[in-house]
Amino acid sequence: MRHLDDTTRTELEAAAFRRLLEHLDAHKEVQNIDLMILADFCRNCLSKWLVSAAEQRGETVDYEQAREYVYGMPYSEWKANYQQEATPEQLAAFNARQAGKQDER
């Protein structure tokens, strides 16, 4: 993608990000803990990255605004309707991943 100008590259990256959000929205059954176990990021991470990107550009986006954008609804609504209690297996896998990350340091 190095042959693309910065504007085109940014537009493509933004479109890919929007598509990722659409994909996550279409697959609400995928829990944040699953994403954390497999990919070491979740919807909340995306929200934090948006806040950080805004700050780097001198803009203000608060965390709750970013989460509403990422989740497509207020987080409290998403949590009440779609978030499931983590299973013991999910918690064990998450904790093992976290422990492995600390071992890498």
Side-chain angles (χ1 to χ4, degrees):
M1 291 198 6
R2 293 173 194 233
H3 68 285
L4 299 173
D5 63 84
D6 287 345
T7 300
T8 301
R9 183 181 43 77
T10 299
E11 289 170 356
L12 293 174
E13 290 167 347
F17 179 74
R18 287 189 297 271
R19 180 64 187 103
L20 172 62
L21 294 181
E22 289 171 10
H23 186 77
L24 289 172
D25 189 52
H27 294 281
K28 291 178 178 77
E29 75 279 6
V30 177
Q31 298 294 296
N32 281 333
I33 195 164
D34 296 322
L35 292 169
M36 289 297 294
I37 292 165
L38 295 171
D40 201 28
F41 83 98
C42 69
R43 293 168 179 90
N44 291 325
C45 296
L46 292 174
S47 303
K48 290 174 185 175
W49 297 342
L50 278 172
V51 170
S52 177
E55 288 173 355
Q56 290 174 8
R57 295 185 57 99
E59 300 292 337
T60 302
V61 175
D62 77 20
Y63 182 54
E64 290 306 316
Q65 289 173 318
R67 286 210 301 190
E68 187 166 339
Y69 178 73
V70 168
Y71 283 90
M73 64 188 72
Y75 175 68
S76 59
E77 181 180 330
W78 192 93
K79 186 175 177 181
N81 291 316
Y82 303 106
Q83 186 167 310
Q84 301 168 8
E85 192 71 31
T87 66
E89 295 81 9
Q90 287 172 315
L91 289 172
F94 176 77
N95 290 331
R97 179 165 180 92
Q98 295 302 103
K101 284 173 39 178
Q102 287 183 355
D103 291 343
E104 292 173 4
R105 292 179 192 176

